Amino acid sequence: MLKELNQQRRAKEFTDLKIIVEGKEFEVHQNVLASCSLYFKDLIKRSPRDSSRSGEKLELAMSNLTADVLELLLEFVYTGSLIIDSANAKTLLEAASKFQFHTFCKVCVSFLEKQLTASNCLGILAMAEAMQCTELYNMAKAYALQIFPEVANQEEILNISKDDFISYMSNDSLNTKAEELVYETVIKWIKKDAAIRAQYAAELLAVVRLPFIHPSYLLNVVDNEELIKSSEACRDLVNEAKRYHMLPHARQEMQTPRTRPRLSAGVAEVIVLVGGRQMIGMNQRALTAVTCLNPQNNKWYPLASLPFYDREFFSVVSAGDNIYLSGGMESGVTLADVWCYMSLLDNWNLVSRMTVPRCRHNSLVYDGKIYTIGGVGVAGNVDHVESYLKRDHAQLWPGFHAFGWCGGGYISGPK
């Protein structure tokens, strides 16, 4: 049927709609065009009907597309075939999207997905976003994020808008093994038009995960960059990264979007299980096993076992990249030991002792210090708090008072 209708269109027989574009006339069938395009369906319905009643063809004059593009659109509508190449794909998709030729859009999207390269993916991404073409947008975005090292070497990335650049560079899924490359790309983008872009230096530098840049690079390269030296806000960001490196025990209180590792960094927040009890027949025994779960891949991994046996009722807290274990009871003896699991070395070390042995207590990290709260001691309930700073000995803070039982606590008094 479409073949016959197309022959009628070419012969201008039985057509009832004339579209005029760039002075060229295209005669088509209203029903055929309306069945393929919601835009034209609505336009035809809203057009005056006088001409149809008098036997005259409905005329539509359009100025928002070219004659060549309309010819290709109509050819596809009537034949299902389309000549599409890298030169006209974007133009055809824009027209198909604008005039709501949905099947035509799918053909263009399928073609463009196969044409994605490091030199054009950001441009296609921006176009897909502007046209609200979700399928192409998601494909181009995933592709651009995955091949960031190649994209970073293209001229295209230096010419995209500030908002698009920030959206791209700040993404957690940006695939880079070295955050230094992200920093270098930001500096290159600014220097491409420094007279205008330098005012955004701090906003742009904030998308770089500076705490994951090597300290020597921070000191020798970043610190000496004139764009950084001339901006107080930029220097604050660099100093924040330096503090992150210098105070690993306080990292838990330094959490910002910049301290969150990218997914490609091989670093992830994990859930760690320390110790516990295991049933053996009718008896129980304390476990020394330490394991962690990576929620990103849902896999469990073994860590260094506890360096002691049959200990229970201890308290565990994470501080930065390390885990601190304090107190507990072993063979009926209440203990004051403080042990540290160092994630980089995967081992446990005895680092200090509390001033008061305790078990069944709670621990927390605040302002760079580890606090042990309440619990049970040798003489009964413990009614005070101790704090431990990684580079100091355990110390009692008499200004704090805690009232608790078996780990629960209520704290009052000055900081």
Side-chain angles (χ1 to χ4, degrees):
M1 181 182 291
L2 275 178
K3 182 178 180 181
E4 176 62 27
L5 289 170
N6 191 41
Q7 290 175 352
Q8 293 177 10
R9 175 178 74 95
R10 292 187 180 281
K12 298 184 178 181
E13 296 176 345
F14 308 112
T15 57
D16 54 3
L17 173 62
K18 182 186 294 184
I19 303 175
I20 304 171
V21 177
E22 295 181 332
K24 187 174 181 179
E25 296 181 353
F26 297 85
E27 295 196 14
V28 298
H29 303 88
Q30 293 184 29
N31 287 340
V32 174
L33 194 58
S35 67
C36 298
S37 166
L38 294 176
Y39 175 90
F40 280 103
K41 180 179 180 180
D42 183 62
L43 192 62
I44 292 168
K45 287 171 65 176
R46 290 188 290 106
S47 297
R49 312 307 298 172
D50 295 340
S51 58
S52 60
R53 286 195 294 269
S54 63
E56 296 179 2
K57 295 176 182 178
L58 176 64
E59 289 191 6
L60 295 176
M62 305 185 68
S63 60
N64 49 357
L65 80 164
T66 66
D68 290 341
V69 169
L70 181 58
E71 179 63 47
L72 290 172
L73 286 170
L74 294 177
E75 189 68 20
F76 180 78
V77 167
Y78 277 89
T79 68
S81 63
L82 174 66
I83 299 175
I84 184 171
D85 54 40
S86 56
N88 66 11
K90 290 184 180 180
T91 302
L92 291 176
L93 179 57
E94 289 172 352
S97 177
K98 181 187 297 183
F99 300 113
Q100 298 176 283
F101 287 90
H102 295 310
T103 303
F104 196 106
C105 280
K106 291 180 180 179
V107 174
C108 292
V109 167
S110 178
F111 177 84
L112 286 170
E113 286 176 353
K114 297 173 184 176
Q115 302 300 310
L116 286 168
T117 66
S119 62
N120 69 15
C121 57
L122 293 179
I124 292 176
L125 177 64
M127 179 189 70
E129 183 178 23
M131 294 189 302
Q132 297 182 325
C133 185
T134 304
E135 182 181 348
L136 182 59
Y137 174 83
N138 290 336
M139 179 66 71
K141 181 178 180 180
Y143 184 85
L145 291 171
Q146 180 60 35
I147 64 164
F148 168 67
E150 289 84 0
V151 174
N153 289 323
Q154 304 297 320
E155 185 70 17
E156 182 182 57
I157 194 172
L158 303 180
N159 297 320
I160 63 176
S161 70
K162 175 176 73 75
D163 290 342
D164 286 347
F165 185 77
I166 289 176
S167 175
Y168 177 56
M169 302 294 285
S170 62
N171 197 294
D172 286 347
S173 297
L174 192 72
N175 183 31
T176 178
K177 297 301 181 184
E179 196 67 23
E180 287 82 352
L181 178 59
V182 181
Y183 166 79
E184 291 166 4
T185 306
V186 166
I187 297 300
K188 282 167 58 178
W189 188 91
I190 296 173
K191 290 183 176 180
K192 174 72 175 180
D193 190 0
I196 294 176
R197 297 177 177 180
Q199 62 182 311
Y200 307 121
E203 184 180 0
L204 293 160
L205 189 64
V207 308
V208 183
R209 314 289 166 93
L210 288 172
F212 294 96
I213 285 180
H214 195 277
S216 64
Y217 190 94
L218 275 175
L219 293 174
N220 298 324
V221 178
V222 180
D223 254 354
N224 292 320
E225 170 57 53
E226 288 301 325
L227 286 169
I228 307 298
K229 292 163 68 174
S230 62
S231 167
E232 182 179 355
C234 286
R235 294 197 303 273
D236 288 343
L237 290 169
V238 175
N239 290 333
E240 174 190 74
K242 291 178 182 177
R243 288 194 299 273
Y244 189 85
H245 283 292
M246 295 170 61
L247 305 171
H249 61 280
R251 286 177 181 173
Q252 194 160 331
E253 284 73 53
M254 298 183 190
Q255 298 304 304
T256 71
R258 292 173 293 283
T259 61
R260 184 174 63 246
R262 299 186 193 270
L263 299 180
S264 61
V267 180
E269 290 186 346
V270 297
I271 300 169
V272 180
L273 298 183
V274 181
R277 299 193 70 80
Q278 180 183 36
M279 289 293 299
I280 302 178
M282 298 298 293
N283 300 315
Q284 295 184 9
R285 71 176 179 88
L287 289 172
T288 61
V290 180
T291 56
C292 76
L293 170 68
N294 184 344
Q296 292 182 8
N297 58 17
N298 203 33
K299 291 184 179 180
W300 287 91
Y301 300 91
L303 303 179
S305 297
L306 295 173
F308 37 71
Y309 298 92
D310 201 31
R311 184 174 298 196
E312 56 187 351
F313 307 136
F314 48 77
S315 180
V316 175
V317 67
S318 65
D321 297 328
N322 299 330
I323 297 173
Y324 287 83
L325 181 152
S326 59
M329 180 177 290
E330 193 171 311
S331 300
V333 179
T334 304
L335 304 167
D337 299 354
V338 177
W339 292 77
C340 175
Y341 171 77
M342 304 183 70
S343 60
L344 291 177
L345 302 177
D346 188 33
N347 64 18
W348 290 89
N349 293 285
L350 181 64
V351 293
S352 188
R353 294 176 60 84
M354 295 180 289
T355 59
V356 177
R358 67 182 78 204
C359 64
R360 299 180 182 270
H361 56 292
N362 274 344
S363 300
L364 60 85
V365 175
Y366 178 72
D367 199 24
K369 299 183 180 68
I370 299 170
Y371 292 87
T372 56
I373 306 170
V376 179
V378 176
N381 294 346
V382 179
D383 63 354
H384 61 263
V385 173
E386 292 184 57
S387 70
Y388 169 75
L389 188 60
K390 182 178 178 181
R391 56 177 178 264
D392 297 333
H393 295 293
Q395 49 188 297
L396 182 65
W397 288 72
F400 260 129
H401 298 281
F403 304 93
W405 172 257
C406 295
Y410 171 82
I411 304 176
S412 64
K415 178 178 176 181

